[in-house]
Amino acid sequence: ALGAVRFANLFYTVGYFPVLVIAAILLYRFDRERFNVFKLAFLLGLAFALICYSLFPLAPPRLLPELGFVDTQKVFGSNLYNQKSVVSLYNPYAAMPSLHFGCALLVGMVVFSFDRKVLKAMGVLYPCCMASVIVTSGHHYILDIVGGGIVVVLAFSLSKVFPRAKGKLVPVSLGVGLFASNYMGGENAKKTGA
């Protein structure tokens, strides 16, 4: 059982941001159309989640040991999210919606959209594994997973319906990674390489 807990702690850390970055790089390199949908869905989902976190900050179960919840990373693992150098980089009260699950679902949806059976299987297994890990490690409630799923499905749906989003997204000159659609007929998108 301790091995499963350690695996969950490792997967929680390594299976989130690194997977998201690798998926983005591979999509950018090999399938720009899917990358543009992925990018816009990620940014919209992040925006929706940040609004939720600001309006309704909710603590994860791991911060409620008096109710019997265990912070598995603190007790059995790397304790990464409790280190002083990391605490300032994240909001411990951003449990609902779960972006760990939402981003895993987004990656899963995009991976599932490919025709290969192995990718379809990975597209299903990755978000399922993440959902299991974030609940068993005390980072999220099941309802947080539902919220993360709703946010990402809404964001993904919106990214698919923007009339000119496919292959015509250009960076906004803010230096913060925001992107906007190019409504100038697509010529500027070709010139900027987007």
Side-chain angles (χ1 to χ4, degrees):
L2 185 57
V5 171
R6 289 201 170 125
F7 171 78
N9 289 339
L10 180 66
F11 191 84
Y12 181 81
T13 305
V14 198
Y16 175 54
F17 193 69
V19 171
L20 192 61
V21 170
I22 291 167
I25 290 169
L26 291 173
L27 287 170
Y28 181 81
R29 174 72 174 94
F30 297 108
D31 194 330
R32 292 284 174 94
E33 186 172 330
R34 280 188 176 101
F35 170 76
N36 286 328
V37 171
F38 177 82
K39 172 182 62 177
L40 186 56
F42 171 75
L43 292 171
L44 288 171
L46 182 61
F48 296 153
L50 289 174
I51 291 168
C52 293
Y53 301 152
S54 298
L55 296 176
F56 306 105
L58 297 172
R62 67 185 178 85
L63 296 182
L64 300 168
E66 63 274 7
L67 297 178
F69 294 105
V70 176
D71 183 345
T72 61
Q73 283 197 327
K74 186 175 185 180
V75 175
F76 301 108
S78 66
N79 200 17
L80 175 70
Y81 288 95
N82 294 313
Q83 294 176 6
K84 289 180 183 178
S85 60
V86 176
V87 169
S88 64
L89 300 176
Y90 84 104
N91 178 359
Y93 301 102
M96 170 61 138
S98 169
L99 279 184
H100 265 78
F101 176 73
C103 290
L105 181 61
L106 178 60
V107 169
M109 291 166 66
V110 172
V111 169
F112 187 84
S113 71
F114 288 93
D115 290 332
R116 298 188 63 174
K117 287 183 182 181
V118 69
L119 292 176
K120 288 191 180 298
M122 289 171 60
V124 171
L125 290 175
Y126 174 57
C128 290
C129 189
M130 183 60 78
S132 174
V133 161
I134 63 179
V135 170
T136 58
S137 64
H139 284 89
H140 290 281
Y141 297 101
I142 292 172
L143 196 55
D144 300 339
I145 293 170
V146 173
I150 290 169
V151 161
V152 166
V153 167
L154 176 63
F156 187 78
S157 298
L158 287 174
S159 72
K160 297 284 282 184
V161 299
F162 282 130
R164 297 188 184 166
K166 294 181 181 177
K168 298 179 182 175
L169 296 180
V170 295
V172 174
S173 298
L174 295 177
V176 293
L178 297 175
F179 294 85
S181 293
N182 172 12
Y183 291 101
M184 302 301 287
E187 290 304 312
N188 290 337
K190 291 176 186 169
K191 291 177 186 173
T192 61

